[in-house]
Amino acid sequence: MSEGEKLISINIEDEMKSSYIDYSMSVIVSRALPDVRDGLKPVHRRVLYGMYQLGILSNGPYKKSARIVGEVLGKYHPHGDVSVYDTMVRMAQKWTLRYPLIDGQGNFGSLDSDPPAAMRYTEVKMNKISEEMLTDIKKNTVDMQFNFDDSLEEPKVLPTKIPNLLINGASGIAVGMATNIPPHNLKETVDAICAYIDSDNNLSIDQIIKYIKAPDFPTGGIIYGYSGVKNSFYTGKGKIVLRAKVHIEEVHGRKSIIVDEIPYQVNKSDMISKTVNLIKNGKIDGIYQIRDESDRNGLRIVYILKHKINPNILLNKLFKQTSLQTYFNVNTIALVNGKPAKLNIKDIIQNFLNHRHDIIIRRTKYELKKCENRIHILEGFLKILGHINILIKTIKNSINRNDAHKKLIDKFELSKNQSLSILDLRLQNLTSLEQKKVKQEYEKIKKEIIYLKKILNKYYIRTEIIKKELLDIKKKYKDDRRTYIDYSGDEKNIQIEDLIENEQVVLTISHAGYIKRTSLSEYKRQGRGGIGNRGAVARTYDFFKHLLIATNHQYLLLFTEKGKCFWLRVYEIPEGSKTSKGRAIQNIINLHKNDRVNAYVLTENLTDKNYVNNYYVIMITKKGIIKKTSLECYSRPRKYGINAIVIRKGDSLLEAVLTKGNSHIFIASKKGRVIRFLEKNVRSTGRNSSGVIGISFTNKKDVVIGMICVEDNIKEKGNLLVVSENGFGKRSRLKDYRLTNRGGKGIKTINITDKTGNLFSVKYVNKQEDLMIIKKSGIMIRISISDIRIMGRSTQGVRLINLKSDDYIADVAKVHEYRI
């Protein structure tokens, strides 16, 4: 031991504890966890700040990645070039961040986890949205700290305008803790924060969920079930089930499962190779070939199936055994005031708003000080404007600038700054026009100071500024939700209805069996005779056939042409825009390959015994066979459907209608005839029966095109509306159709001509309702029933919709006001 040195005895246990805590806190605070305010870890923050300092903005040219890595390493983050470059790469990958913060040019890797090119080859610049995170940083809005060698300053946090922690999420492993926060949709997030502001920070998590439905991942996919999402919103911890988005189609004559989107953070090539191994090991059987047809336009993985394999059963096996279904374990831990904390969705919003208030206060103080300094100078100018000659004489008679400076202070009672500013004035600024500008500037800044002081003193003004800035962000960067939510994946005891607004929706079903639901509000009312709006884009060999108006909480009974019945909740039907094609019905129900759905019945709660025992299902076939069965018989559906009616040879089920048992039945035929008889003339039978004759035909080529059932107590309040194939239609009075016995040939309801075409649809309507017509091309028109004239039975009607020569009507539905 050297002279002057001495040994100090310490407890090894205490030293280990102290050293471990110091190390763990260093990792937690300086590397692994994001700050709740800007949602960034230190390395992400340093990359953005380094690019900002270099002026590599979104409107400028790309710069080599190596240049930014060198800047960040040399000035702020001495932890190795790999850590900085890897961070930059992730910030530029569209499949990693929901809203990428860096715009990359070059090879930045792929969904197959291919490595990016070396930093000397790639180029980057800031994305426009990341500039919103650095706005006002030069206005003393955030605290600065010294870098690692105390030679420069860097921000402790960015003055972000965007709620980055929510929209981009974060993940990291610290010492003894980890964080895994999913990304969310920017539009939904901003709407939730604005609603939170409007409620005076009193919005409950239940109410927040109405705006932020669930996480929204950059790779899309499906969130299967909702319990994990709800737990994560309430507690900051939850297990979210993610599924690939798939559809079934034929490829080279074989049924194939097509994967359009994969779950977040799944390695595509890894998933395919592991699936191949499962096939080789005999754990998955039925796949003939797997092809990766992904390209720059999107992802497409094709599982071509062997013959006679049920694609739905195989798909369930793939979900169970491969990465087509994964889990995202939410663990929302972030730094709050420099300390790690577990946060729920409300905590994150509150902390972000606190940060924004702090930024606005500091920005306002900076701008106020700047205005006060300027108005002080302008007050000096105003003092000398009326004494220009004296000013010039004083300056002229001064020995030097110093002497003039002192004389001006004494003569005009000016401050040092005012005197120096006057001495710096150019002579052209002493003209009468320039003097007027000084007075105008003085009044303008005076008003600005009053406003800035109001911002500092009034909390509600700051909240309005925050809200306005958020709405501007939403307007610039909003996009549609990518991840679909499938609520049906939850346990039976979860009340999905509590999470879904019971709004009116339009259900459309194509000829090829694609189904979707769209909010009714997307379809605006038009006048009679219009051309309609684009409703949906079907495939070239497909067209849209059925249109129903429903509410999300209703039940949908699906009846096939061969007499089977299936069961769905309306909210379980995939949601789509007006122009999307929807999802194949066979992906939702276990439909036989040689069968198709022809009829649909909307009902209320099928678990309510009083309800199901008081209603009947009336079915009609194309050949005029009618059958009546209690709704109770269809209230307990099975996975593979149940028998609804026995179909006779050469016939098929056409339509099904829900009644209360006391209706007047109207059956319409293709050749323009309608029969009316009482429902009581059709006795109720069980599911396994075929029914009785409802209408007879004079023409062998005639078939039934529709049936309506009108309740006895409202029989004279509405009208019978008919629509022909070529877009003609009219209303007729019900009393024009006399009551007859079941099985008759009916009477004329429309004058069939080459101009009108055959009868296509029959509806029971009243003038308060609307009519929706969809063409084969997908164009829809919504018109008011009151715009359609009441005419006699033997007339041809008026034109309801214009049709091109290669187009025709696919379906007709009525819209009524639904009271929730």
Side-chain angles (χ1 to χ4, degrees), residues 550-567:
T551 60
N552 278 328
H553 290 186
Q554 283 184 301
Y555 292 70
L556 182 66
L557 295 180
L558 301 93
F559 295 87
T560 73
E561 64 179 6
K562 292 190 175 181
K564 297 278 282 186
C565 176
F566 295 89
W567 184 89

Side-chain angles (χ1 to χ4, degrees), residues 84 110 200 356 371 435 462 557 588 620 663 693 757 783:
V84 177
S110 72
D200 293 330
R356 287 305 301 158
C371 286
Q435 290 179 31
R462 294 198 297 275
L557 295 180
I588 307 172
I620 189 76
S663 300
I693 296 173
I783 58 179

